[in-house]
Amino acid sequence: MDYRLLGRSGLKVSTLILGTMTFGGKGEFAKTGNTDLNGARRQIDMALDAGVNMLDTADVYSDGVSEEIIGEALDAARRNRVMLATKARFPTGDKGPNERGLSRHHLIRACEASLKRLKTDHVELYWCHEWDGQTPVDEILAALDHLQSSGKIGYVGVSNFSGWHIMKMLSTAEKNNTIRPVAQQIHYTLQAREAEYELLPIAVDQGVDAVIWSPLAGGLLSGKYRRGKPEPEGTRKAAQWSEPPVRDVEALYDIVEVLVEVATHYEGASPAQVALAWLLSRPGVHSLVVGARTEAQLTDNLKSASLVLSEDDLAKLEAVSRPPLIYPYWHQASTASDRLSQADLVLLKPFLEK
């Protein structure tokens, strides 16, 4: 397992993070899994033994049950070996008009409720789970600054923000001398590479590292879904889980076929491991949040930390999944190639190579 500094911080985080959205299995989240307390303990131990040093959860996962299970599962010995990350934005329990969003009122209440469920006095990383366009950014940052100075959170990240949202947060943080996001938790896979237009360049240029959620596209890149073959049962897709959207099924199948082929080049590797290893090779990507319905899935995913793909195999994956150049990037590729930064090249480099 590798450990990398997270953004512009001194915090070293493993390249794989254990995701816990499957813990609890309550409400809509039952579609993703229903890991109970004993199963959670086993998954946490497996992750720790593999070198994972952070767990990722959210107050909204199973309406707080995921956090409660983690709180029960982490005895003193486990808690000393692992860092915790949780999130706030969506309503849990009370659905009143102020029990949502990123207002000072909601953030502070949500954080205190999460700490109680997690049975801890602090979390190392606190994510703003989604953008809130109705709360002033300086209010959001002031609330997070207060939580940090109170010792309840260590660092802050943002999740599912657009490029201009992140830049607005960074600008306001600099202007007001308040806490600055160190990372962004985003969706990015071989079948969904939109993050390369703005989010990954921001990661490289501004030091707001990308932490990837659902890095196997909800299992679509695991090799279980193949062209012309029946879809597997017992999956989140079979349960009508809607994330992520697939806009071109045939393109997805093309990607899976290359994943299956590339996996044969490495002894014991699976298509899922190849998809995860590709992500870890990408500029701006710090770590992947890997969760699993079963211990076998988690075992397989954890092996991706040590898989290094050849340049030829990376080129094959690039060719089958490359996103189109939208404006202004096609114009920059044709007229600005003499003065591009490393952040620009996250997207444009493959289009400039002969």
Side-chain angles (χ1 to χ4, degrees):
M1 185 69 62
D2 288 334
Y3 303 89
R4 303 171 181 173
L5 291 172
L6 185 64
R8 294 180 183 174
S9 81
L11 192 70
K12 286 195 172 184
V13 178
S14 50
T15 52
L16 297 183
I17 294 170
L18 180 63
T20 64
M21 191 168 68
T22 62
F23 289 9
K26 182 179 178 181
E28 279 293 297
F29 289 94
K31 296 177 179 179
T32 70
N34 58 353
T35 304
D36 62 11
L37 176 58
N38 288 331
R41 286 194 177 110
R42 288 194 295 272
Q43 286 199 15
I44 291 170
D45 287 342
M46 291 168 63
L48 291 175
D49 289 344
V52 171
N53 73 349
M54 179 171 279
L55 305 186
D56 183 85
T57 187
D59 59 0
V60 74
Y61 295 167
S62 291
D63 201 25
V65 176
S66 174
E67 290 181 326
E68 290 174 354
I69 288 176
I70 292 171
E72 291 292 331
L74 290 182
D75 55 21
R78 289 189 181 94
R79 181 64 177 101
N80 288 335
R81 294 176 62 193
V82 71
M83 297 183 289
L84 292 178
T86 192
K87 312 179 190 73
R89 161 57 167 86
F90 300 107
T92 60
D94 184 356
K95 309 299 191 212
N98 286 310
E99 304 311 315
R100 65 188 67 222
L102 300 176
S103 68
R104 180 183 179 90
H105 170 88
H106 182 60
L107 275 177
I108 292 175
R109 286 165 61 96
C111 182
E112 291 173 346
S114 286
L115 295 179
K116 184 177 180 179
R117 287 189 288 267
L118 290 165
K119 295 187 176 182
T120 189
D121 61 357
H122 74 285
V123 293
E124 283 75 14
L125 180 57
Y126 200 48
W127 297 101
C128 297
H129 205 168
E130 176 62 274
W131 175 246
D132 176 0
Q134 296 186 355
T135 299
V137 170
D138 54 359
E139 178 181 337
I140 298 170
L141 291 169
L144 295 169
D145 216 45
H146 167 75
L147 289 171
Q148 186 189 50
S149 63
S150 301
K152 295 176 181 178
I153 65 174
Y155 301 88
V156 165
V158 296
S159 182
N160 305 308
F161 280 36
S162 69
W164 75 268
H165 293 154
I166 296 174
M167 294 305 297
K168 187 172 183 178
M169 290 279 282
L170 296 178
S171 174
T172 305
E174 181 177 2
K175 179 182 68 175
N176 295 347
N177 195 29
T178 50
I179 192 169
R180 183 186 195 273
V182 298
Q184 50 178 314
Q185 191 169 142
I186 63 173
H187 183 61
Y188 175 51
T189 70
L190 278 162
Q191 82 96 26
R193 294 178 59 175
E194 302 95 334
E196 293 175 18
Y197 295 124
E198 293 288 337
L199 299 179
L200 291 184
I202 286 173
V204 171
D205 188 68
Q206 296 295 315
V208 185
D209 284 347
V211 174
I212 311 303
W213 62 261
S214 197
L216 293 177
L220 296 176
L221 298 176
S222 65
K224 294 183 295 188
Y225 298 89
R226 304 287 297 276
R227 182 182 281 114
K229 295 185 178 181
E231 291 190 355
E233 298 179 355
T235 65
R236 65 181 66 182
K237 186 173 186 293
Q240 305 300 309
W241 184 257
S242 60
E243 294 180 350
V246 179
R247 297 184 175 88
D248 188 335
V249 174
E250 291 305 312
L252 170 65
Y253 286 141
D254 290 342
I255 292 168
V256 172
E257 291 308 308
V258 176
L259 285 172
V260 171
E261 176 202 344
V262 169
T264 65
H265 301 167
Y266 305 89
E267 184 177 359
S270 67
Q273 291 173 32
V274 172
L276 298 175
W278 177 83
L279 281 170
L280 289 175
S281 76
R282 300 298 298 162
V285 171
H286 180 284
S287 51
L288 316 179
V289 179
V290 294
R293 285 174 172 264
T294 67
E295 292 177 32
Q297 290 174 345
L298 182 57
T299 297
D300 187 73
N301 289 347
L302 290 171
K303 291 178 181 178
S304 65
S306 59
L307 178 61
V308 178
L309 303 177
S310 71
E311 290 299 322
D312 286 346
D313 286 334
L314 289 172
K316 290 176 183 177
L317 293 166
E318 169 66 32
V320 76
S321 65
R322 182 180 298 164
L325 281 187
I326 59 176
Y327 180 81
Y329 306 111
W330 56 261
H331 201 277
Q332 293 172 2
S334 64
T335 62
S337 61
D338 60 329
R339 295 183 69 85
L340 295 176
S341 70
Q342 289 302 309
D344 297 314
L345 293 174
V346 172
L347 173 68
L348 296 179
K349 183 179 179 180
F351 297 91
L352 304 176
E353 295 173 341
K354 301 300 184 181

